[in-house]
Amino acid sequence: MTTFSVPSPIQVTVWGENRHEKRDEHVAKIYPQGMHTAIAEGIEENLGDACTIRTATLDDPEHGLTEEVLAGTDVLTWWGHTAHDEVSDEVVERVHRHVLSGMGLLVLHSGHWSKIFVKLMGTTCTLRWRNEHDRELLWTVNPTHPIAQGVPQPLVVDEDEMYGEFFDIPVPDELVFVSSFTGGEVIRSGCTFRRGHGRVFYFSPGDQDYPVYHNKDIRRVIANGVRWARTDRPERGLPELRRHDTGDFFDSRSSAEPLR
Amino acid sequence: MTTFSVPSPIQVTVWGENRHEKRDEHVAKIYPQGMHTAIAEGIEENLGDACTIRTATLDDPEHGLTEEVLAGTDVLTWWGHTAHDEVSDEVVERVHRHVLSGMGLLVLHSGHWSKIFVKLMGTTCTLRWRNEHDRELLWTVNPTHPIAQGVPQPLVVDEDEMYGEFFDIPVPDELVFVSSFTGGEVIRSGCTFRRGHGRVFYFSPGDQDYPVYHNKDIRRVIANGVRWARTDRPERGLPELRRHDTGDFFDSRSSAEPLR
Amino acid sequence: MTTFSVPSPIQVTVWGENRHEKRDEHVAKIYPQGMHTAIAEGIEENLGDACTIRTATLDDPEHGLTEEVLAGTDVLTWWGHTAHDEVSDEVVERVHRHVLSGMGLLVLHSGHWSKIFVKLMGTTCTLRWRNEHDRELLWTVNPTHPIAQGVPQPLVVDEDEMYGEFFDIPVPDELVFVSSFTGGEVIRSGCTFRRGHGRVFYFSPGDQDYPVYHNKDIRRVIANGVRWARTDRPERGLPELRRHDTGDFFDSRSSAEPLR
Amino acid sequence: MTTFSVPSPIQVTVWGENRHEKRDEHVAKIYPQGMHTAIAEGIEENLGDACTIRTATLDDPEHGLTEEVLAGTDVLTWWGHTAHDEVSDEVVERVHRHVLSGMGLLVLHSGHWSKIFVKLMGTTCTLRWRNEHDRELLWTVNPTHPIAQGVPQPLVVDEDEMYGEFFDIPVPDELVFVSSFTGGEVIRSGCTFRRGHGRVFYFSPGDQDYPVYHNKDIRRVIANGVRWARTDRPERGLPELRRHDTGDFFDSRSSAEPLR
């Protein structure tokens, strides 16, 4: 008799650019241990021993994202802003391959312009913006989605940067949240995308100038996103080109050779 | 510290029309305890003590679907065919209300023309068909979906009724499986729909003339569907019309009175 | 050599409940000829001789929606509010059949609770509301959609009733507009749905208390919607259940008899 | 009074790799003027003077896709197979920019592995395949879509390469066709994607070994796709990052400088 097994802990890697925190005094005050630490704490606060968390930053060797680290990561979260260009193309390719092979990815706020997000989306990922202390309200438009569980309607963020439409992304597979701002702008602020064998969640709140990642409801959403993004598939693997003889559905030969 | 709690058992009600089994000898041979019993066994086989299953049939009082039964049902599965018209409108309204309030619903095979499915979809739900022992192959087109986990690519059903396109349903929220048949027809055979606070999964295999619900992979899909369709929301409730004063996001008065 | 033929004029029927205009003085001042007349003028203003428009109202015999009228209607627009219950079920069935057979339908504002919209959606269609002179901003989130052409970003409505999330509709096939209101609420305000052979567009602005249908941009959206909703199919017809022999893809016999 | 204006001719550029035709005798017999010429003829056959067509091939300078050519192209069609790697990255970037700026793109058959399609999708775009003279049947699952107009149900292709699931693409915005093959495989064979300000249609039939692009129904689909992919927007332009002051929705300053 099969039963629900208790799932193994989710291996989470929280990646942070970690530059504003070192450079901008007011950011360092909000996030003295770095934004990545606050994000990690928020996940731990919600998932507890259902997850195991490590952090990695831009200035680590290979940005802390070696093949070994990624192979041991179920879900990667990504916050970057001022130094997208400094992320090496090799690491971006590696992360991309792992996402398509089944690693979950959460892209936060200004990560909309990270190399990895732009590569996964195929669009410009541009948007409308203003950094003037707008109040942000997040409205759930998909109340049965796992990522929306336990989230107030609306979720109030006292101050945040405004990110507005048109946000140039592909139509999301699922739209979970829509935000409005004091100034009247809106954005599709919680969006899921399936890519290859991986699940991607973009979540727009979180400018470095405000204590957004200390907000308990924001933390809840991120933790829900981590839980959702962990694949159900037992093994990591990239979708592969396969030739199949007629009637031979299950055996195949991989097509390293070019297609006929 | 919060942790993954072990979820409580899923309360499943398997509803069967149970007419062919009493009337048609060859169906009775395949399903001597009724199709609903085979479906229930398949769920139990996969979910074990992670679920609690009861069955209900058309000829039970109120078709076995009293308010009390539905209030205690997390996920209802529905197989009907020859007697859709005999299902009382009152029970259909009741099931509809529970689905929109958060009860999961799996609609199987000829249930595409059940009153409850047609009411939830808003379309004719007609299709192309032929009952001539076609082999059915189910192909996963959404490999990261929870319902597709552990399912072979393709899932082979040796014999089944052909159901083909155009299948007049709304565009599914998620397309999980596409089937082909010996004759060359195809159908979107595994489709999810979110309606109100409820999750609906339509799964097309399962004509009464063939032992489809004894197929272990079909049983796996149905069990996966049950698990997926159980809501994450803590309480059952119908979406309600609510008036909110400016700035008063959380308190409201319900609008029993007509809208201004 | 085939060429773009000049399309024949779109036969539009603008349906109005026409009760507030007779009963409420301030509404009569805004819409002295009725809201339906203003809506019709807005379509004419944009489409000119590319359309032929008639109007029909609740108090007409059969609400002005006889079989003959519907058979001659390419696109029907629907505004109702205070008297949804007075619309006869027979007419609702008739409109439903025509939509699934290929007639386009635009549902405006409080039409979200009309019998025809609720029947097509299968959900409660409830929402959050407040009628307090909020400014409404409509943001285009799908800039390549035909309905968004020529529409400012954002489209500003000086005053309107607030309609907010959660709006209990199925996930739209296409989300074209998202609105925000002075109070901070948002709604998916421009949504398309394909149902049967018909196209449906829900557009939320337009409370009777404000001159929304005199706004030239709102008129442009409605006209765009009319153009989009007109089917490309040459003949109107309901999707039908069809049995096909193996290898006989094109001939079939209709299945008036019950399914085997 | 505004009316339907007669649209200006669609400027189509048909791009062909044009290598098999020069190298493989049996391909040259099927397509003596090259596959691109057959594709162009099929579009002309259907759209006549509603379009103006030029062709371009891999061996032309800049592959025939200069800035000037692309600026004058409403819709580009792409067939490539054996020489994807020979397409210069600079030209791919140029095409990508034009698609996101509003140029329509049709990707045909083995173009699923072209650099431009993979870049737009963000996934591996791999699939299952077999080149053994399977019959392909294309089934319309979205009968109201403009691309499906005038297309038989099913569309029969006597012989084609089999392309099957799992096809690793993002979930299409719209699924128009699903194909089955003699061997029982299926593929989502007609898929639309909106990217930036551009519309993309992937259409899977068309191996070089069979006369698929002489099939009149296949030609009809491609012509429908061309018509659909032409933008309604009056001007070509890339989505841009824009900063807006509070209350200043329409003026903005472009953000060449990094985001704050």
Side-chain angles (χ1 to χ4, degrees):
Chain A
M1 188 174 68
T2 314
T3 68
F4 271 120
S5 53
V6 178
S8 60
I10 308 171
Q11 307 293 326
V12 184
T13 301
V14 173
W15 191 86
E17 187 183 273
N18 199 31
R19 288 284 170 84
H20 289 287
E21 302 93 317
K22 295 197 263 186
R23 191 177 72 191
D24 304 332
E25 197 178 342
H26 72 285
V27 178
K29 276 189 187 155
I30 304 172
Y31 297 110
Q33 263 72 47
M35 300 178 75
H36 52 285
T37 305
I39 293 167
E41 285 170 356
I43 297 169
E44 205 280 339
E45 181 179 299
N46 282 278
L47 300 187
D49 56 16
C51 69
T52 306
I53 307 178
R54 77 183 113 190
T55 61
T57 63
L58 180 62
D59 292 331
D60 293 338
E62 301 187 49
H63 316 318
L65 300 174
T66 61
E67 179 63 32
E68 190 185 355
V69 166
L70 294 179
T73 299
D74 292 319
V75 181
L76 176 68
T77 75
W78 192 279
W79 195 101
H81 179 221
T82 194
H84 292 317
D85 286 350
E86 295 181 42
V87 178
S88 87
D89 290 341
E90 188 186 341
V91 169
V92 172
E93 288 297 326
R94 193 185 295 155
V95 173
H96 186 249
R97 176 168 44 80
H98 275 277
V99 170
L100 299 189
S101 300
M103 183 179 71
L105 179 69
L106 265 65
V107 177
L108 301 173
H109 189 63
S110 42
H112 75 94
W113 255 16
S114 61
K115 288 181 178 176
I116 181 60
F117 190 63
V118 170
K119 185 176 178 68
L120 282 162
M121 296 295 105
T123 56
T124 67
C125 301
T126 55
L127 40 69
R128 181 179 288 244
W129 70 282
R130 173 182 60 246
N131 196 351
E132 298 289 352
H133 303 262
D134 283 64
R135 180 190 65 181
E136 179 173 2
L137 300 176
L138 291 100
W139 297 91
T140 295
V141 300
N142 192 335
T144 68
H145 200 284
I147 294 179
Q149 298 319 305
V151 178
Q153 176 79 310
L155 191 171
V156 182
V157 175
D158 294 329
E159 291 189 321
D160 203 351
E161 184 177 23
M162 180 279 284
Y163 270 14
E165 299 283 348
F166 175 61
F167 180 23
D168 179 24
I169 49 171
V171 176
D173 293 359
E174 297 163 308
L175 181 62
V176 185
F177 303 114
V178 172
S179 289
S180 72
F181 295 85
T182 307
E185 290 86 355
V186 303
I187 192 167
R188 291 165 293 171
S189 50
C191 301
T192 75
F193 305 91
R194 294 167 188 266
R195 291 294 182 271
H197 289 149
R199 298 178 185 174
V200 179
F201 177 52
Y202 176 75
F203 187 51
S204 73
D207 190 71
Q208 71 278 355
D209 287 343
Y210 315 98
V212 177
Y213 297 122
H214 294 301
N215 178 309
K216 77 172 172 43
D217 296 318
I218 292 289
R219 288 175 164 209
R220 174 67 181 255
V221 172
I222 293 172
N224 285 348
V226 164
R227 213 183 288 202
W228 171 85
R230 194 246 288 259
T231 184
D232 299 305
R233 298 170 61 89
E235 287 172 33
R236 184 162 297 179
L238 205 58
E240 284 193 352
L241 194 71
R242 292 275 174 186
R243 189 193 173 283
H244 285 262
D245 285 328
T246 304
D248 191 353
F249 297 126
F250 303 104
D251 294 326
S252 74
R253 45 189 176 84
S254 175
S255 305
E257 71 273 29
L259 274 177
R260 278 176 50 186
Chain B
M1 188 174 67
T2 312
T3 67
F4 271 119
S5 53
V6 178
S8 60
I10 308 171
Q11 307 293 326
V12 184
T13 301
V14 173
W15 191 86
E17 187 182 273
N18 199 30
R19 287 286 169 84
H20 289 287
E21 301 92 318
K22 295 197 263 187
R23 189 177 74 192
D24 304 332
E25 198 177 341
H26 72 284
V27 179
K29 276 189 186 155
I30 303 172
Y31 296 111
Q33 264 73 48
M35 300 178 75
H36 52 285
T37 305
I39 292 166
E41 285 170 356
I43 297 169
E44 206 279 339
E45 183 179 299
N46 281 278
L47 300 187
D49 55 17
C51 69
T52 307
I53 308 178
R54 75 185 114 190
T55 62
T57 64
L58 180 62
D59 291 331
D60 293 339
E62 301 187 50
H63 315 318
L65 301 174
T66 60
E67 179 63 31
E68 190 187 355
V69 166
L70 294 179
T73 298
D74 292 318
V75 181
L76 175 68
T77 75
W78 192 280
W79 195 101
H81 180 221
T82 194
H84 291 316
D85 286 349
E86 295 181 42
V87 178
S88 87
D89 290 342
E90 188 187 341
V91 170
V92 172
E93 289 296 327
R94 193 185 295 156
V95 173
H96 187 249
R97 176 168 44 81
H98 275 278
V99 171
L100 299 189
S101 300
M103 183 178 72
L105 179 69
L106 266 64
V107 176
L108 301 173
H109 189 63
S110 42
H112 75 92
W113 255 17
S114 62
K115 288 180 179 178
I116 181 60
F117 190 63
V118 171
K119 185 177 179 66
L120 281 162
M121 298 294 106
T123 56
T124 67
C125 301
T126 55
L127 41 69
R128 182 179 287 245
W129 70 282
R130 172 182 62 246
N131 196 350
E132 298 289 353
H133 303 263
D134 283 64
R135 179 191 65 180
E136 179 173 2
L137 300 176
L138 290 101
W139 297 91
T140 296
V141 300
N142 191 336
T144 69
H145 200 283
I147 295 180
Q149 299 319 304
V151 177
Q153 176 80 311
L155 191 170
V156 182
V157 175
D158 294 330
E159 291 189 324
D160 203 349
E161 184 177 23
M162 180 279 284
Y163 270 13
E165 298 284 346
F166 174 60
F167 179 23
D168 179 23
I169 49 172
V171 176
D173 292 359
E174 298 164 307
L175 180 61
V176 184
F177 303 114
V178 172
S179 290
S180 72
F181 295 86
T182 307
E185 289 87 355
V186 303
I187 192 167
R188 291 165 294 170
S189 50
C191 302
T192 74
F193 305 91
R194 293 166 189 265
R195 292 295 183 269
H197 289 149
R199 298 177 185 175
V200 179
F201 177 52
Y202 176 76
F203 188 51
S204 73
D207 190 72
Q208 71 278 354
D209 287 344
Y210 315 99
V212 176
Y213 297 122
H214 294 301
N215 179 310
K216 77 172 173 42
D217 295 318
I218 292 289
R219 288 175 164 209
R220 174 68 182 255
V221 172
I222 294 172
N224 285 348
V226 164
R227 210 182 292 199
W228 171 84
R230 193 245 289 258
T231 184
D232 300 304
R233 296 169 62 87
E235 286 172 34
R236 184 162 298 179
L238 205 58
E240 284 192 354
L241 194 70
R242 292 275 174 187
R243 188 193 174 284
H244 285 262
D245 285 328
T246 304
D248 192 355
F249 298 127
F250 302 105
D251 294 326
S252 75
R253 45 186 176 86
S254 175
S255 305
E257 70 273 28
L259 275 178
R260 279 176 50 187
Chain C
M1 187 175 67
T2 314
T3 67
F4 272 119
S5 53
V6 177
S8 60
I10 308 171
Q11 308 293 326
V12 184
T13 301
V14 173
W15 191 87
E17 188 183 271
N18 199 31
R19 287 285 170 85
H20 289 286
E21 301 93 318
K22 294 197 265 187
R23 191 177 73 191
D24 304 331
E25 198 177 342
H26 72 285
V27 178
K29 276 189 186 155
I30 303 171
Y31 296 111
Q33 263 74 48
M35 300 178 76
H36 52 285
T37 305
I39 292 166
E41 285 170 356
I43 298 170
E44 206 280 338
E45 182 179 300
N46 281 279
L47 301 187
D49 56 15
C51 70
T52 307
I53 308 178
R54 75 184 113 192
T55 62
T57 63
L58 180 62
D59 292 331
D60 293 338
E62 302 187 49
H63 315 319
L65 300 174
T66 61
E67 178 63 31
E68 191 187 353
V69 166
L70 294 179
T73 297
D74 293 318
V75 181
L76 175 68
T77 75
W78 192 280
W79 195 100
H81 180 223
T82 193
H84 292 317
D85 286 350
E86 295 182 42
V87 177
S88 87
D89 290 341
E90 188 187 341
V91 170
V92 172
E93 289 296 327
R94 193 185 295 156
V95 173
H96 187 249
R97 176 168 44 80
H98 275 278
V99 171
L100 298 188
S101 300
M103 183 179 71
L105 179 69
L106 265 65
V107 177
L108 301 173
H109 189 63
S110 42
H112 75 93
W113 256 16
S114 62
K115 289 181 178 176
I116 181 61
F117 190 63
V118 170
K119 185 177 179 67
L120 281 162
M121 297 295 104
T123 55
T124 66
C125 301
T126 56
L127 41 69
R128 180 180 289 244
W129 70 281
R130 173 182 62 245
N131 196 351
E132 298 289 352
H133 303 263
D134 282 64
R135 179 191 63 179
E136 178 173 3
L137 300 176
L138 291 100
W139 297 92
T140 295
V141 300
N142 191 335
T144 69
H145 200 285
I147 295 179
Q149 299 319 305
V151 178
Q153 176 79 312
L155 192 170
V156 182
V157 176
D158 294 329
E159 291 189 321
D160 204 350
E161 184 177 22
M162 181 278 285
Y163 271 14
E165 299 283 347
F166 174 60
F167 179 23
D168 178 24
I169 49 171
V171 176
D173 293 359
E174 297 163 308
L175 181 61
V176 184
F177 303 113
V178 172
S179 289
S180 72
F181 295 85
T182 307
E185 290 87 354
V186 302
I187 191 167
R188 291 166 293 171
S189 51
C191 301
T192 75
F193 305 91
R194 293 166 189 265
R195 291 296 182 268
H197 289 150
R199 297 178 185 174
V200 179
F201 177 53
Y202 176 75
F203 188 51
S204 73
D207 191 71
Q208 71 279 354
D209 288 344
Y210 314 99
V212 177
Y213 297 121
H214 294 302
N215 179 310
K216 78 173 171 43
D217 296 317
I218 292 289
R219 288 176 164 208
R220 174 68 181 255
V221 172
I222 294 172
N224 285 349
V226 164
R227 211 182 290 200
W228 171 84
R230 193 246 288 260
T231 184
D232 300 304
R233 296 170 61 88
E235 286 171 34
R236 184 162 297 179
L238 206 58
E240 284 193 352
L241 194 70
R242 291 277 175 185
R243 186 193 176 284
H244 285 262
D245 285 328
T246 304
D248 192 353
F249 298 125
F250 302 105
D251 293 327
S252 74
R253 46 188 176 82
S254 177
S255 306
E257 72 272 29
L259 275 179
R260 280 178 48 186
Chain D
M1 186 175 67
T2 313
T3 68
F4 272 119
S5 53
V6 178
S8 60
I10 308 171
Q11 307 293 327
V12 184
T13 300
V14 173
W15 191 86
E17 185 182 274
N18 199 31
R19 287 286 170 85
H20 289 288
E21 301 92 317
K22 294 196 263 185
R23 188 177 75 192
D24 304 332
E25 198 178 341
H26 72 285
V27 178
K29 275 189 185 155
I30 302 171
Y31 296 111
Q33 263 73 48
M35 300 179 75
H36 52 285
T37 306
I39 292 166
E41 285 171 356
I43 297 169
E44 205 280 338
E45 182 179 300
N46 281 278
L47 300 187
D49 56 15
C51 69
T52 306
I53 308 177
R54 73 185 115 190
T55 61
T57 63
L58 180 62
D59 292 332
D60 293 338
E62 301 187 49
H63 315 319
L65 300 174
T66 61
E67 179 63 31
E68 190 186 354
V69 166
L70 293 179
T73 298
D74 292 318
V75 181
L76 175 68
T77 75
W78 193 279
W79 195 101
H81 180 221
T82 193
H84 291 317
D85 286 350
E86 296 181 41
V87 178
S88 86
D89 290 341
E90 187 187 342
V91 170
V92 172
E93 289 296 327
R94 193 184 295 155
V95 173
H96 187 249
R97 176 168 44 81
H98 275 277
V99 171
L100 299 189
S101 300
M103 184 178 71
L105 179 69
L106 266 65
V107 176
L108 301 173
H109 189 63
S110 41
H112 74 93
W113 255 16
S114 61
K115 289 180 178 176
I116 181 61
F117 190 63
V118 170
K119 185 176 179 67
L120 281 162
M121 296 295 105
T123 56
T124 67
C125 301
T126 55
L127 40 69
R128 181 179 288 245
W129 70 281
R130 172 181 61 247
N131 196 350
E132 298 289 352
H133 303 262
D134 283 63
R135 180 190 64 180
E136 178 172 2
L137 301 176
L138 290 102
W139 297 91
T140 296
V141 300
N142 192 335
T144 68
H145 200 284
I147 294 180
Q149 299 319 305
V151 177
Q153 177 79 309
L155 190 171
V156 181
V157 176
D158 294 331
E159 291 189 323
D160 204 349
E161 185 177 21
M162 180 279 284
Y163 270 15
E165 299 283 345
F166 175 59
F167 179 24
D168 178 23
I169 49 172
V171 176
D173 293 359
E174 297 164 308
L175 180 61
V176 185
F177 303 113
V178 172
S179 290
S180 72
F181 295 86
T182 308
E185 290 88 355
V186 302
I187 192 168
R188 290 165 294 171
S189 50
C191 301
T192 75
F193 305 91
R194 294 169 187 265
R195 291 296 182 270
H197 289 150
R199 298 177 183 175
V200 178
F201 177 53
Y202 176 76
F203 188 51
S204 72
D207 190 72
Q208 72 279 355
D209 287 343
Y210 315 99
V212 176
Y213 296 123
H214 294 302
N215 179 310
K216 78 172 171 43
D217 295 319
I218 292 290
R219 289 176 162 208
R220 175 69 182 254
V221 172
I222 294 172
N224 286 348
V226 164
R227 213 182 289 200
W228 171 84
R230 193 246 288 257
T231 184
D232 299 304
R233 296 170 61 89
E235 286 172 33
R236 183 162 299 178
L238 205 59
E240 285 192 354
L241 193 71
R242 292 274 174 187
R243 188 194 174 282
H244 285 262
D245 285 327
T246 304
D248 192 353
F249 298 126
F250 302 105
D251 293 325
S252 74
R253 45 188 175 84
S254 177
S255 306
E257 70 272 30
L259 274 179
R260 281 176 48 188

